[in-house]
């Protein structure tokens, strides 16, 4: 799979403060890449550097194998939603996009098609002025600005801000459709980790400007285990475990026993053996790693 976005040794300093320091980050063609991090971690700064809105202190940014310093033509292939666009409040959504069309020269027929795509083409909204839009409607219009020129790459910074659960669900479906059916590459940041977990193919977590984690959602979701909670005698428990399992199949931490890759029959066997060893068992739970677990672990302040 081809890399559409490549960042290498990318650094941005503000008044002596290192805001972004990314050794390497790649976004593959046709994938949804979730870009995560706490407030102030450097997500928006990174996206603005990709769009040439901020000049890097050093490093390389490549779009489809070409450095962005070679030409600005690459911007024709990118639709972005980084900050709320400057709307004309006394114009309708259509009229705002029409002004945008006259500036950039894309196909005028894209406008109604895009408004329909983001849910703003209903009859009741056709004549509504942007100044009368709700926050959620303005968020949809911002997404329309990103999509109306039919880009191949989307950069989205918190695209569901201001939307109710139904609106978030619709935007989620739209992003998946754009990537999987239309072939767009989506680089998206969001503070709603559960949403990213549902739509992303891969995620990168940035903290204090550095990439501290990168992985595939599928692998995160496949990491699960069984947890036995009780009152154990460590030496006796380890003797039993060592005689039946390899070291990577279990983990003992105080009064918690974690068992990896065991089926229901094995759960029953372990539970029976623990009881026969007179260990009080308080709870047996199925546990599954989540994106939130990883995020909180890697971004917590010590």
């Amino acid at each position: 799979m081809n890399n559409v976005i490549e960042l290498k040794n990318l650094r941005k300093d503000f008044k002596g403060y290192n805001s972004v320091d990314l050794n390497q980050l790649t976004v593959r063609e046709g994938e949804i890449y979730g870009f995560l991090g706490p407030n102030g971690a450097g997500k928006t700064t990174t996206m603005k550097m990709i769009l040439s809105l901020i000049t890097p202190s050093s490093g390389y940014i490549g779009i489809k194998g070409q450095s962005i310093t070679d030409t600005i033509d690459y911007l024709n292939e990118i639709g972005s939603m980084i900050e709320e666009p400057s709307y004309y409040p006394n114009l309708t959504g259509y009229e705002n996009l029409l002004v945008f069309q006259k500036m950039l020269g894309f196909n005028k027929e894209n406008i109604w098609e895009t408004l329909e795509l983001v849910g703003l083409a209903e009859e009741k909204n056709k004549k509504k002025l942007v100044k009368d839009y709700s926050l959620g409607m303005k968020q949809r219009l911002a997404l329309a600005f990103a999509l109306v020129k039919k880009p191949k790459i989307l950069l989205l910074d918190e695209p569901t801000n201001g939307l109710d659960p139904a609106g978030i669900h619709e935007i989620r479906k739209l992003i998946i459709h754009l990537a999987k059916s239309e072939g767009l590459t989506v680089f998206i940041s969001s503070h709603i980790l559960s949403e990213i977990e549902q739509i992303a193919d891969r995620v990168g977590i940035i903290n204090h400007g550095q990439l501290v984690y990168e992985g595939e959602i599928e692998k995160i979701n496949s990491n699960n285990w069984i947890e036995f909670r009780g009152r154990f005698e460590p030496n006796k428990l380890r003797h039993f475990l060592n005689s039946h399992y390899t070291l990577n199949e279990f983990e003992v931490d105080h009064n918690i026993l974690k068992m990896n890759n065991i089926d229901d029959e094995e759960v029953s066997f372990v539970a029976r053996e623990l009881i026969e060893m007179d260990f009080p068992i308080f709870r047996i739970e199925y546990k599954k790693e989540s994106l939130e677990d990883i995020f909180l672990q890697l971004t917590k302040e010590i």
Side-chain angles (χ1 to χ4, degrees), residues 83-89 96 99-100 103 130 141-142 145:
E83 293 176 345
E84 188 174 314
S86 297
Y87 305 120
Y88 293 96
N96 268 274
V99 173
F100 193 45
M103 293 168 57
V130 170
L141 184 57
F145 269 90

Side-chain angles (χ1 to χ4, degrees), residues 68-297:
I68 66 170
T69 60
D70 295 341
T71 176
I72 63 169
D73 291 344
Y74 79 97
L75 292 173
N76 294 327
E77 296 197 56
I78 297 182
S80 64
M81 180 180 167
I82 305 299
E83 293 176 345
E84 188 174 314
S86 297
Y87 305 120
Y88 293 96
N90 292 315
L91 298 180
T92 65
Y94 177 87
E95 290 167 340
N96 268 274
L97 289 173
L98 187 59
V99 173
F100 193 45
Q101 186 269 335
K102 292 184 183 301
M103 293 168 57
L104 297 185
F106 54 81
N107 193 331
K108 187 177 176 181
E109 294 180 1
N110 293 0
I111 298 177
W112 276 122
E113 183 181 330
T114 304
L115 288 171
E116 186 172 353
L117 197 62
V118 300
L120 288 177
E122 299 171 340
E123 193 64 37
K124 64 181 180 180
N125 293 325
K126 284 185 177 180
K127 295 184 179 180
K128 183 176 288 189
L129 302 181
V130 170
K131 68 180 181 180
D132 298 321
Y133 274 18
S134 67
L135 179 61
M137 291 177 70
K138 288 181 179 178
Q139 198 73 354
R140 292 172 185 271
L141 184 57
L143 191 54
F145 269 90
L147 291 169
V148 72
K149 61 179 182 178
K150 303 287 188 179
K152 294 297 183 183
I153 304 168
L154 271 182
L155 266 60
L156 305 176
D157 192 12
E158 304 286 357
T160 56
N161 268 358
L163 296 180
D164 59 20
I168 292 173
H169 175 72
E170 289 175 13
I171 297 300
R172 181 205 311 154
K173 288 202 307 181
L174 173 58
I175 291 171
I176 293 173
H177 170 76
L178 291 170
K180 305 310 174 188
S181 299
E182 303 295 330
L184 269 69
T185 301
V186 182
F187 188 50
I188 176 174
S189 78
S190 176
H191 67 280
I192 307 177
L193 300 183
S194 59
E195 283 299 311
I196 292 295
E197 195 161 18
Q198 290 185 68
I199 68 173
D201 299 297
R202 287 193 302 145
V203 294
I205 299 176
I206 185 174
N207 195 28
H208 298 298
Q210 297 185 331
L211 192 68
V212 294
Y213 176 85
E214 188 174 62
E216 297 179 6
I217 289 292
E218 190 175 286
K219 290 184 179 179
I220 294 173
N221 290 338
S222 66
N223 188 11
N224 53 72
W225 63 91
I226 300 296
E227 191 170 278
F228 297 83
R229 289 177 177 263
R231 190 177 298 119
F232 305 125
E233 182 183 322
N235 291 337
K236 189 175 181 181
L237 176 59
R238 290 183 185 280
H239 177 75
F240 158 69
L241 293 169
N242 287 329
S243 63
H244 290 84
Y245 302 99
T246 61
L247 288 176
N248 65 344
E249 290 180 305
F250 68 87
E251 180 181 332
V252 180
D253 183 15
H254 298 294
N255 289 316
I256 298 175
L257 166 62
K258 292 172 62 174
M259 299 293 299
N260 302 315
N261 302 317
I262 64 172
D263 57 22
D264 290 346
E265 290 295 325
E266 286 294 311
V267 173
S268 176
F269 167 72
V270 172
R272 185 170 60 250
E273 291 296 315
L274 293 176
I275 292 171
E276 288 183 1
M277 286 186 282
D278 293 326
F279 294 147
I281 305 301
F282 306 138
R283 190 181 307 151
I284 302 175
E285 291 181 291
Y286 173 82
K287 294 283 190 174
K288 185 176 181 180
E289 186 177 42
S290 70
L291 181 57
E292 183 178 25
D293 295 330
I294 295 172
F295 181 89
L296 292 176
Q297 180 64 31

Side-chain angles (χ1 to χ4, degrees), residues 1-5 27-32 64 152 179-180 183-186 201-202:
M1 191 177 292
N2 296 327
N3 291 329
V4 172
I5 300 174
V27 181
R28 302 165 185 161
E29 185 176 10
E31 79 171 346
I32 301 174
K64 293 188 173 180
K152 294 297 183 183
K180 305 310 174 188
L184 269 69
T185 301
V186 182
D201 299 297
R202 287 193 302 145

